[in-house]
Structures are given as C-alpha cells and as structure tokens.
C-alpha cells in the first residue's frame, strides 16, 4: 500500500519538476484509486514509452532509484519531470531546452536554467540523428491521425458495450474497473506523442515567422484550424442555448438552474420534450466531460447535468453574432491572410517556402491530434469511474461507506480485501478522505528542484493575500491568442459555477482544462495565471477567436472582480482601466 498522502521519491539525475501543463488537467490532488490503477499508474509507462518512440533515448535512461520517472506525485499533486522534457528538446534537432521552457513555463519567474542541471550525457549525436528521422518522418511528413482514429474506435466500442452496471457482481465491477490498463497506457502514450509533436510543430512555425520578420504571426498561423475536439461541447451547448431562449424551455431556465434538470425531465410540454431529447443526446456524447475529468473522483456532466446547464444558461444571453462558428470564421480569415503574407515573403526561396508549408501542415495536424487523444483518454477514464461509483453506491447502501465517492480513497491493491470485508475499511477511508479534502487547501510549489519541501512548508490557499492592481497598471504575460478587447473581469477559480460570467465579460482563471471551454464562448477574452502558447486556454482561444493572455502571474489575485480591463493578446498585456 502506498503511503498517504502520496510523496513519490525524486530523482537526483533528473531533479527538476513542475506543475506546468499537468496542472491544467489535474488542478487538484489525485485520489488513491486513480493513482494506483488509473491515471498516474497508466500514464507513467505510457509517457516513458512515448519518449522512446520519439527516438530521443532508450528505456535504460530512466532512473531505477525512483518509482515514477516522468509523473510523480508530491503531496498527492501531480508533477511533470521537466528535466526529461528539456532533454527531449536538447536531442530533437532545431528545438532546444529554451523552446521547451517557453512552451511549458511561458514567462513564469523563478525557473532554474537548463545549464544549472545539464548532464554530461545530454548531448548525444546518435540519438539526435534518430530523433531527426522521427521529426521528419513521423511529425513533419505525417498525413493523418489514423492511430488516433483507431484509438477512438476502440474506446467507443468499450462505451457502446457498457453493461448494466447495477446487474454486475462486486467482483465483476472490480474486473471492469481494472481491465483496461493496457488500453489506457496506449492511449496515454499516443497523447504524449501528439503533445510532443504539436510542440515541435508550434515551435517550428514560431521560428519561421520570426525568420521572416513577422514573429507576431506565429500564433495567427495556427488559429482557426478546425476539427479541434475540445471545442465540440461549445458548439453543442450553443445549439442548446438557442433553443432555450423562448417559450416553455426559457421559462424553466428563468426559474433558476438548481433543480432545472429535474424540471425538464418532468415536463410534458412538447417544446420541453424536444429540448430534453437534444439535451440527452448532448449528455450521451459528452458524459465524460467535466472539471478535472481525468480524476476518477471528479463530477462530470452526466453525473451532474447542472454543470452543463449553468453554461447553457449563460449562453442564452449571447447574440447570434457571437456564435462559435462566427468567431472561428474570423480566425480562419486571419490565418489565411497571415499565411498569404508569409508565402509572399518566401516566394523567392523555394526551400524555405517548402519548409514553411510542411511545418504549417504539421502544426495544425498535431494540435488536432493532441486534443483528440486527450478527449479519447477522458472517455475511457469515465468507463472506469462508473463501475467504481456503483461499487461505492453499494458500500453506502450496506453501511460501509458514508458516501459513494469514498471508494476512491482505496488503493488498487486493497480492492480484493475490501470485497472480502468492506466494513474493515470504513474508518480508514474516512480518515483518508478527511486528509484528501484538506489537501485542496495546500498550494503545491509550481517548481520543485531536488527535494520536495514537506507539507508543513507549503503555502495554504486560505492564507493567501494579494496586492490588487490599480488603475493604469499592466500585467505582462505571454500571448495565447492575438487581438485586443475590453470588458469587465470575471475572476473564476472553478468552472462549476459560471453564473457570474456575463456575455462580453473577460474570463480570468487560474488555469483551464477542457471543462472550461464552453465558458470561452461567452467571454470577450481570457486571462490565465499559468500557461504557455501550448496550453489548453491558448489552443481553445485560437479556435474560438478571442484574445488570450497566459502566464499572467497571479492575475486571479491581482485583478479585482468587476474591474474594466483591456486584454491585448498581441502584446500579451492586461491593463486595468477602471476599478
């Protein structure tokens, strides 16, 4: 059994760890069950295999003195080993550690330099040559996402063959919960490969734009690319919102979101019945989506439909000219115009023009691939979540658990003993859950170098104080999507309650994952504390066509809620205009 909270050992060979990027999909502590049989257990081998598949090193490079080379947990918060990420950049031709830092850290202060940790074996011409072949053949010259489409088909087959969980025995529930480890590892490997490939493509486009004297076009060239899976729910919610503005459906929404799903289900009005069918179809497609959706313990839209209905309610007040399709069309035009500019500048250099065309295609392909693999993995996570919740429900019914979610406080190797004598775990899971909830108040260090400070030295969110920005002050960040907009700041720290976000407001958030995406539709702009051009907030903003600034350090603490602000996504600044 793993100690609780989870503190994995750190590597002395690869000592730099960060919450960058992983904090988007895991903003909260990981539960014991998810760490031992779910996300952490299966992503670690998938990530290790992904690096090897990219030809940057072999399996023997990994530190045998630690249990998790790539994705450890400290205080049950997940971290990425950035030493390995930097080494990947060093060994891929034309990339470098600095490019990796820009993609993952943006402009975050206090990041140790690569030179401070460089190892004698980092520069390896043989592996760099192999990585060059991978870069050319599997990244730049790739034509499709065939492997990712196959993954999607396999997961859809699992979903479509989902049995009636209430009819399964406890042993069968555990079997279903634990039987997809190999598939999950493969999905995670492909996700990491697509993430690495998209980073390479995005970096190549940025370098080419800078080389022709147009660095500001780097992000515009990858905006409005279309077919990005994480934007799918936004379109679905938009359609629902159009049908919820008049008549009996609007009346139900006007009465408030609490209890709304039950009122929709109980109505026999023809318009409401039609809306319910549309809503049910949406929830069937996106049942797995929700805040921190890769955490088994997390709520999703099918488990708490009000999470989705809150956002639909906000969208009702937005005019048709703000539709996701309309915004995307503007970005498509801007991308095509930027592409024409670069092509004209390179018209006299056939070789450079050819490189640009190849990089442009690859960047778009692998940005799509990254979001596709991420979405497919979330689909499978939900298929593990459901049998666990059914097992938890039975524990509550039998008096062994206080709440169905306490089942996630078990470690995987405890499941057989739990099935044999569930009552013997009652006090243990209560104690673990109490600790788990307390962990949410801890603020994990953004960067860890070498040894992890004990929890007693971590900052507490409840003790945090901020110095509010004043009128005229500017917060500098990193560009996520170009453009300039003004609006009222709506500081939200949780996507569960978007009720404060009005059409035209600017969303100010600590970090975003796919469950935040529909909120972007109502927003005139997005500002995020942590992030980089490679992060979720930036990718989605570029698809929906709204200015975005990431890596705006402590924006959620410094920008007063309701302040009038200007977001300049081109210069990556946020200016306070009025408090």
């Amino acid at each position: 059994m793993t100690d609780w909270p989870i503190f994995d050992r750190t590597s002395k060979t690869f000592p730099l760890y960060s919450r960058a990027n992983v904090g988007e999909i895991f903003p909260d502590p990981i539960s014991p069950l998810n760490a031992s049989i779910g996300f952490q257990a299966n992503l670690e081998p998938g990530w290790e295999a992904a690096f090897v598949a990219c030809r940057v090193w072999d399996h023997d490079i990994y530190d045998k003195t630690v249990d998790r080379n790539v994705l450890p947990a400290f205080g049950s918060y997940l971290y990425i080993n950035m030493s390995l990420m930097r080494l990947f950049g060093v060994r891929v031709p034309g990339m470098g550690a600095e490019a990796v830092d820009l993609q993952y850290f943006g402009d975050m202060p206090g990041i140790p330099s690569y030179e401070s940790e460089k190892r004698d074996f980092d520069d390896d011409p043989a592996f760099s040559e192999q990585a060059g072949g991978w870069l050319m053949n599997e990244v730049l010259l790739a034509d499709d996402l065939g492997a990712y489409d196959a993954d999607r088909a396999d997961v859809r087959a699992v979903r479509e063959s989902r049995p009636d969980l209430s009819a399964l025995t406890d042993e069968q529930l555990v079997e279903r919960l634990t039987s997809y480890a190999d598939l999950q590892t493969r999905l995670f490997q492909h996700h990491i490969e697509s993430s690495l490939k998209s980073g390479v493509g995005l970096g190549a486009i940025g370098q080419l734009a800078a080389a022709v004297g147009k660095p500001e076009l780097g992000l515009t060239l990858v905006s409005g690319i279309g077919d990005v899976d994480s934007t799918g729910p936004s379109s679905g919610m938009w359609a629902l919102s159009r049908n919820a503005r008049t008549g009996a459906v609007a009346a139900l929404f006007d009465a408030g979101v609490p209890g709304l799903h039950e009122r929709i289900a109980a109505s026999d009005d023809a318009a409401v019945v039609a809306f319910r069918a549309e809503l049910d179809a949406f929830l069937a497609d996106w049942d797995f989506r929700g805040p921190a959706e890769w955490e088994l313990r997390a709520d999703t839209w099918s488990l708490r439909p009000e999470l989705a209905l809150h956002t639909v309610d906000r969208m009702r007040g937005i005019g048709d000219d703000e539709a996701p399709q309309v915004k995307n069309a503007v970005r498509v035009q801007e991308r095509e115009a930027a592409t024409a500019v670069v092509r004209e500048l390179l018209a006299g250099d056939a070789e450079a023009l050819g490189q640009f065309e190849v990089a442009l295609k690859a960047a778009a392909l692998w940005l799509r691939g990254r979001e596709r693999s991420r979405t497919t993995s979330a689909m499978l996570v939900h298929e593990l979540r459901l049998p666990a919740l059914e097992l938890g429900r039975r524990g509550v019914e039998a008096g062994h658990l206080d709440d169905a979610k306490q089942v996630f406080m078990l470690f995987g190797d405890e499941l057989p003993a739990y099935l044999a004598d569930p009552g013997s775990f009652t006090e243990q899971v209560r104690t673990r859950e109490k600790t788990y909830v307390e962990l949410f108040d801890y603020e994990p260090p953004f960067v860890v170098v070498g040894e992890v400070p004990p929890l007693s030295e971590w900052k507490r969110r409840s003790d945090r104080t901020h110095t509010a920005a004043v009128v005229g002050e500017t917060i500098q960040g990193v560009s996520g999507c170009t453009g300039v907009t003004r609006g009222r700041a709506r500081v939200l720290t949780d996507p569960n309650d978007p009720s404060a976000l009005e059409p035209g407001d600017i969303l100010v958030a600590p970090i975003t994952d796919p469950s935040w995406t529909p909120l972007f539709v109502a927003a005139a702009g997005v500002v995020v504390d942590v992030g980089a051009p490679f992060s979720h907030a930036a990718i989605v903003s570029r698809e929906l066509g709204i200015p975005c600034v990431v890596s705006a350090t402590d924006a959620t603490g410094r920008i007063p809620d309701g302040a009038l602000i200007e977001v300049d996504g081109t210069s990556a600044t946020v200016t306070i205009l009025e408090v």
Side-chain angles (χ1 to χ4, degrees):
M1 183 189 72
T2 306
D3 291 336
W4 180 252
I6 303 170
F7 271 95
D8 290 318
R9 288 176 292 177
T10 57
S11 170
K12 297 192 182 309
T13 307
F14 306 110
L16 179 63
Y17 301 86
S18 178
R19 289 281 290 158
N21 188 256
V22 73
E24 292 184 7
I25 53 176
F26 254 90
D28 305 322
I30 192 168
S31 67
L33 195 63
N34 205 19
S36 54
I37 67 166
F39 181 84
Q40 190 185 23
N42 297 321
L43 179 54
E44 172 70 29
W47 205 323
E48 290 186 7
F51 278 135
V52 174
C54 295
R55 312 287 192 271
V56 288
W57 54 70
D58 292 327
H59 280 285
D60 59 6
I61 200 174
Y62 295 118
D63 187 345
K64 304 302 188 294
T65 69
V66 300
D67 297 319
R68 305 193 188 279
N69 275 274
V70 187
L71 195 75
F74 306 139
S76 298
Y77 282 89
L78 293 179
Y79 280 75
I80 291 178
N81 188 306
M82 287 302 301
S83 294
L84 289 170
M85 293 302 303
R86 284 173 162 179
L87 181 55
F88 168 83
V90 167
R91 291 191 175 180
V92 172
M95 197 171 183
E98 296 78 10
V100 171
D101 283 1
L102 178 61
Q103 290 176 3
Y104 282 83
F105 294 130
D107 198 32
M108 291 292 294
I111 307 300
S113 69
Y114 164 66
E115 293 301 323
S116 69
E117 61 156 324
K118 186 176 180 180
R119 293 149 290 271
D120 292 340
F121 59 78
D122 283 11
D123 294 313
D124 190 309
F127 276 113
S128 290
E129 184 178 354
Q130 290 184 33
W134 165 81
L135 173 63
M136 180 59 66
N137 298 319
E138 298 186 36
V139 182
L140 297 177
L141 298 181
D143 288 325
D144 57 44
L145 298 172
Y148 299 85
D149 294 337
D151 288 344
R152 179 66 57 87
D154 288 346
V155 173
R156 279 180 173 158
V158 172
R159 287 163 59 81
E160 291 167 2
S161 63
R162 183 193 302 160
D164 178 0
L165 298 177
S166 65
L168 300 184
T169 65
D170 290 355
E171 290 73 17
Q172 288 172 327
L173 288 172
V174 170
E175 180 182 3
R176 184 169 178 85
L177 176 60
T178 57
S179 61
Y180 295 111
D182 290 343
L183 175 57
Q184 195 172 35
T185 295
R186 188 229 300 173
L187 297 181
F188 286 151
Q189 176 181 341
H190 286 169
H191 174 61
I192 297 306
E193 287 183 38
S194 64
S195 296
L196 296 171
K197 291 173 179 179
S198 63
V200 170
L202 194 60
I205 286 297
Q207 291 174 6
L208 285 166
V212 298
K214 296 288 185 180
E216 70 277 7
L217 297 183
L219 294 180
T220 307
L221 289 165
V222 290
S223 297
I225 60 175
D227 197 23
V228 175
D229 284 4
S230 57
T231 62
S234 300
S235 298
M237 286 183 172
W238 181 262
L240 287 167
S241 74
R242 299 304 88 183
N243 294 330
R245 292 188 296 174
T246 59
V249 179
L252 292 179
F253 272 86
D254 291 342
V257 173
L260 175 59
H261 190 247
E262 290 76 12
R263 297 196 300 275
I264 291 172
S267 176
D268 58 4
D269 181 273
V272 177
V273 170
F275 180 84
R276 181 169 69 240
E278 185 181 4
L279 175 62
D280 289 346
F282 173 83
L283 293 175
D285 287 340
W286 301 102
D287 57 348
F288 58 91
R289 191 111 284 176
E293 60 198 21
W294 279 5
E295 167 53 57
L296 290 176
R297 188 178 177 274
D299 285 325
T300 67
W301 292 345
S302 65
L303 298 174
R304 286 185 60 196
E306 285 77 12
L307 296 177
L309 289 172
H310 260 300
T311 305
V312 173
D313 186 40
R314 293 298 92 193
M315 287 184 180
R316 292 194 304 146
I318 305 175
D320 291 343
D321 58 345
E322 294 292 315
Q325 297 87 341
V326 173
K327 289 184 175 181
N328 179 261
V330 173
R331 285 299 175 182
V332 170
Q333 292 176 354
E334 293 175 350
R335 172 173 52 80
E336 291 174 346
T339 302
V341 168
V342 176
R343 284 173 177 160
E344 183 176 353
L345 291 171
L346 294 174
D349 188 337
E351 181 179 356
L353 181 59
Q355 292 174 346
F356 171 69
E357 298 292 355
V358 167
L360 189 66
K361 176 184 175 184
L365 178 70
W366 293 115
L367 284 171
R368 293 189 191 103
R370 179 178 185 257
E371 295 305 300
R372 181 155 304 169
S373 60
R374 184 179 198 165
T375 302
T376 302
S377 295
M379 288 179 174
L380 186 62
V381 167
H382 194 56
E383 298 308 307
L384 309 185
R385 177 182 293 116
L386 294 177
L389 283 172
E390 174 61 21
L391 190 65
R393 185 193 64 77
R394 295 178 187 182
V396 174
E397 192 174 71
H400 304 308
L401 301 177
D402 303 320
D403 182 273
K405 286 187 175 182
Q406 282 184 342
V407 75
F408 299 113
M409 296 299 106
L410 295 168
F411 284 97
D413 60 6
E414 295 173 335
L415 287 172
Y418 174 80
L419 293 185
D421 185 10
S424 65
F425 285 86
T426 300
E427 289 305 318
Q428 192 169 40
V429 296
R430 279 177 182 161
T431 301
R432 282 185 193 159
E433 185 178 51
K434 183 175 183 293
T435 301
Y436 181 75
V437 173
E438 290 173 350
L439 287 172
F440 280 72
D441 190 44
Y442 285 91
E443 188 173 325
F446 186 71
V447 169
V448 166
V449 184
E451 295 302 317
V452 185
L455 274 177
S456 59
E457 296 180 10
W458 289 22
K459 295 179 181 179
R460 302 294 287 261
R461 301 181 198 274
S462 55
D463 295 335
R464 184 191 296 175
T465 59
H466 306 279
T467 301
V470 298
V471 173
E473 190 169 352
T474 294
I475 298 173
Q476 181 68 53
V478 171
S479 178
C481 183
T482 57
V484 180
T485 188
R486 292 185 175 190
R488 294 289 174 184
R490 289 300 171 220
V491 181
L492 299 179
T493 58
D494 189 331
N496 284 358
D497 183 14
S499 57
L501 189 69
E502 297 290 343
D505 286 347
I506 293 173
L507 173 63
V508 182
I511 199 165
T512 68
D513 65 17
S515 68
W516 289 80
T517 304
L519 299 186
F520 287 36
V521 176
V526 175
V527 179
V528 184
D529 287 352
V530 177
F534 183 58
S535 62
H536 169 266
I539 292 173
V540 174
S541 293
R542 291 195 293 268
E543 282 306 291
L544 296 180
I546 52 178
C548 174
V549 174
V550 297
S551 196
T553 305
D554 200 27
T556 52
R558 299 187 61 207
I559 298 176
D561 186 61
L564 180 65
I565 63 175
E566 178 180 272
V567 176
D568 187 333
T570 305
S571 64
T573 57
V574 183
T575 303
I576 311 299
L577 303 178
E578 175 186 297
V579 176

